[in-house]
Amino acid sequence: MHSYSSRNYRAPNRCHAVFYAAVFFFAIIAGKLFWLQILHADDYKNLAEEQNSRGVVLPAKRGNIYAKDYRTNELFPLAQNSTMYTIFADPFLISEGTEMAAAEMLLPLLLPQHSAFIIQQSVVGEVAENLEENEIEKEMKVETNLREESKNKLITQLATKNVVRRELHNISEEELKLVADAHLPGVVAEGGILTINPTLINNPEDVATKLATILESDYSEIYPLMFRKKVRYIRLAARVAPSIRDEILALGIRGIGAIPEYRRVYPEAALAAQVIGFLDHDEKGVYGIEGGLDKKIAGKDGLRKTQVDPFNRQITAGDVLINNAKDGDSLVLTIDRAIQEIVERELTRAVEFQRADSGQAIVMDPHTGAILALAHSPTFDPNMYGEVYTIEDLAQKEKTKKWVDADGNVHEDIEKWWETSAGEKTYTEWGVEYVIRAGYRFPVFTEYRDGKEFYKSIYANRLGEGVFTLKAATDPYEPGSVFKSIVMAAALDSGEVTPLTRSSYNGPVELDEVNYRTGKPIVIKNAQGKYHGQETMTEVIEHSSNIGMTFVAQKLGRATFYDYLRKFGFGERSEVEFEGEDAGLIENYTKWSKSELVTKAFGQGLTVNLFQMAAAYSALANGGLLMKPFIVDEEILSDGRRIKTEPETIRRVIDAETSRAITQMLVSSVKNGFAAPGGVDGYFIAGKTGTSQTYLRGKALSELGTTITAFGGYAPATNPKFVLLVKIDRPRVSEWGASVAAPVFQKIAEELLTNYFAIPPSE
């Protein structure tokens, strides 16, 4: 009995043990399947796709950018594509042992610069009398070595089947130390880089888990790095000409292919360069339209993927996945090619004659907001944008009170030499050192060697990469007296004054406010110290009277003044199609002192950009409507559809009667006042001059080369075809808007009225 019950007792125990073992075994299998098929399904799916398919990027074609001649409706490409080719290799299609032969065939076509020694060999006899024999041999040896190095590199590329090592950058020193201390197989942390070698990793799950923990990264991002990846695409050469591409494909080398790439070219060279922008070395649009609307113009690359068998051969019956490239949209700008040429020509002449830092000009249709021209000087050629980085040595070899001029003469006293010659002078402004050379201002760059100043250099084009900037949008400035037109229009519209209202001031105005620097009362004076008695508001505009505008500002008051500034669009972006527009600065009226209320009336103590000024002047010209500036006239989609930009009225800022009144006052300013140099014989021109000061450490500067000069206006005054704003920065021949910017306005306006628009004289 006893033995039977023992056996009977042990039998169920063994059954239970087998049962629990089976459950445990199946639980492990289920857990592993859950881990593989649920948690890391995407990882293995991607890995399988990589192993069983190969793909080639199908590049999208970038859209063109056009200007227009509105008289003929003809389009002129400002940016377009030239088709070149990328030569690539699929190493898995190149049979082992044939890499050297393929490299020998490809090298002369891919790297013609390395086969120059062949040509040299053929002409040795012609130049032997001029070269030492050892020099010829040395050059031949260099060429041979270059060719061998290139060939060996090419052979390596053609033979590469897998990516063996992966590198992770931007890893902190602390993380690198933790990885090194963990002694993970196949993972090396040194030189600031984390290197992963999949061939040395036997347990990828464990290594990936530990590495993800140390780096505080997602496991799903680290795990795929643990596996070798087949290399199905190696770029051998870029921007290959179509004729060379044909020769390469004619070789019939299996695994060598070509795909088109589109090189950006700018047929009009420097015309509207800041408006257009360019593509950088990564083929990404930067600056101007190319940068601001890059996604729209660039399109989206496609992909062609095919299935392959375990031997890496394409499966004929397999799926072929083709995601076609979506070409970018083309843009027709509002820029008129003929007007742009006129404006750029006259602006460049003025900047060079005045030896100014720079200049900008904008022409706008006041009825629509369309920008007909937008010019900058100096400019650049976007086809060769790298040339802007060219520098010149200043010939100042060491820091000294002496100066060596361009002729090699040594000057002991720099300041005295500057006063008695047209040589060079250096000074520092806001931490940047500048030199005046031949009347131009250049930023200076100091090179150091062993901690000591070695030599100074300047950009050959004066601005370096600053020439890329669309200053009309990105560089706000104090507008000066050209702003008086806007303030006067506000005073007229609010009913505070009429064109015949007389100012109560006839001389300098002492404000009830003390200058904190001097401790003396603030006194408002006219710019050139001339006074004309108690002027009417029309005469205030004619004489550009600061004391007259003091009267206007005080009549308006802070709140009403500020309200009109905001209605005119100042202090907010115009939302024109460019990156980096600066809205300028208009402080809330509650922060204005008595003097700030006054100085804002003649364009000081606030900043604006050129688009805002052009839109505000358009409102004066068109009956009082603020139009949204725009530069894209039409969008041509990749499927051929065309989308026209419709003019957008933002709001009414003044009534039509105010518009007529301020226009008459601005016409009188050109006929009888300081703005006369901007007039065109036979035409009614509405215009206003402007000169504003620049500052150094809060102190206004007042010598040649320190002012911002401007002229704003429109014509014909009774039915304006265009608004034109001209701005020239830091002129050095004259310092006033009337003598610097007004003549530029006059020449452009005359050309547009008499030739382009062919408008008969109206006087």
Side-chain angles (χ1 to χ4, degrees), residues 540-554:
V540 167
I541 291 296
E542 289 176 357
H543 302 145
S544 194
S545 171
N546 288 347
I547 63 167
M549 293 307 297
T550 298
F551 171 81
V552 171
Q554 292 171 338

Side-chain angles (χ1 to χ4, degrees), residues 512-523:
D512 184 19
E513 186 176 336
V514 175
N515 185 320
Y516 75 94
R517 290 179 180 273
T518 64
K520 297 179 180 180
I522 294 175
V523 178

Side-chain angles (χ1 to χ4, degrees), residues 205-257:
E205 296 88 352
D206 180 61
V207 174
T209 300
K210 293 178 179 177
L211 193 57
T213 301
I214 293 172
L215 300 180
E216 297 182 354
S217 299
D218 291 339
Y219 176 89
S220 59
E221 295 179 1
I222 299 297
Y223 182 70
L225 303 178
M226 303 295 112
F227 299 90
R228 283 187 289 176
K229 182 179 179 181
K230 292 181 179 179
V231 176
R232 305 309 313 265
Y233 177 90
I234 293 180
R235 189 172 71 168
L236 302 180
R239 294 189 174 181
V240 174
S243 59
I244 301 298
R245 171 254 191 192
D246 293 342
E247 290 187 57
I248 289 172
L249 296 183
L251 296 174
I253 302 174
R254 188 168 181 264
I256 302 298

Side-chain angles (χ1 to χ4, degrees), residues 27-38:
I28 291 175
I29 293 177
K32 187 67 174 179
L33 290 174
F34 180 80
W35 190 88
L36 291 171
Q37 297 183 352
I38 304 298

Side-chain angles (χ1 to χ4, degrees), residues 42-59:
D42 290 340
D43 298 337
Y44 284 99
K45 181 181 178 182
N46 294 335
L47 188 61
E49 288 183 358
E50 288 181 0
Q51 293 177 339
N52 297 304
S53 65
R54 67 169 181 261
V56 175
V57 173
L58 304 175

Side-chain angles (χ1 to χ4, degrees), residues 169 173 176 188-194:
H169 298 265
E173 291 294 331
L176 288 171
V188 178
E190 60 182 16
I193 299 173
L194 194 64

Side-chain angles (χ1 to χ4, degrees), residues 655-673:
D655 63 34
E657 183 56 38
T658 301
S659 172
R660 285 191 289 270
I662 190 66
T663 295
Q664 291 173 352
M665 295 168 76
L666 292 175
V667 168
S668 183
S669 176
V670 173
K671 285 295 180 184
N672 308 308

Side-chain angles (χ1 to χ4, degrees), residues 329-534:
D329 300 337
S330 292
L331 304 176
V332 180
L333 303 186
T334 58
I335 294 292
D336 184 287
R337 180 172 175 264
I339 297 178
Q340 182 75 23
E341 286 182 334
I342 294 168
V343 176
E344 286 194 9
R345 181 187 69 225
E346 298 302 333
L347 181 68
T348 298
R349 286 176 178 174
V351 168
E352 291 179 352
F353 174 75
Q354 292 288 341
R355 298 196 292 277
D357 278 8
S358 56
Q360 305 91 51
I362 185 171
V363 179
M364 183 180 289
D365 183 336
H367 305 290
T368 65
I371 298 166
L372 304 179
L374 182 55
H376 289 66
S377 179
T379 187
F380 69 101
D381 184 347
N383 294 298
M384 299 177 287
Y385 67 87
E387 290 186 353
V388 306
Y389 297 102
T390 303
I391 62 174
E392 295 178 352
D393 187 2
L394 265 181
Q396 186 177 5
K397 300 302 182 185
E398 59 184 15
K399 196 167 186 178
T400 175
K401 292 183 179 179
K402 298 179 181 179
W403 185 274
V404 181
D405 65 21
D407 298 322
N409 301 313
V410 178
H411 303 271
E412 298 287 344
D413 188 333
I414 300 173
E415 294 299 326
K416 183 177 180 181
W417 174 55
W418 167 251
E419 292 171 0
T420 58
S421 71
E424 296 169 331
K425 176 184 179 181
T426 57
Y427 66 97
T428 301
E429 181 178 320
W430 295 112
V432 178
E433 188 175 3
Y434 293 91
V435 63
I436 304 292
R437 169 182 277 186
Y440 289 105
R441 187 178 77 144
F442 299 81
V444 177
F445 304 93
T446 303
E447 303 290 337
Y448 292 89
R449 182 172 295 180
D450 298 328
K452 297 181 180 179
E453 188 172 297
F454 180 62
Y455 72 92
K456 296 177 182 290
S457 57
I458 58 176
Y459 284 127
N461 73 341
R462 306 199 304 275
L463 295 179
E465 65 179 9
V467 76
F468 298 149
T469 305
L470 191 83
K471 292 180 180 294
T474 62
D475 288 22
Y477 65 101
E478 287 194 353
S481 295
V482 75
F483 200 68
K484 291 173 180 174
S485 308
I486 309 301
V487 181
M488 185 63 76
L492 293 170
D493 195 68
S494 65
E496 295 296 338
V497 299
T498 71
L500 298 179
T501 299
R502 287 194 176 273
S503 167
S504 60
Y505 301 127
N506 58 11
V509 180
E510 183 176 306
L511 302 178
D512 184 19
E513 186 176 336
V514 175
N515 185 320
Y516 75 94
R517 290 179 180 273
T518 64
K520 297 179 180 180
I522 294 175
V523 178
I524 303 300
K525 301 177 181 179
N526 283 344
Q528 297 181 356
K530 296 180 180 179
Y531 301 92
H532 304 86
Q534 294 181 329

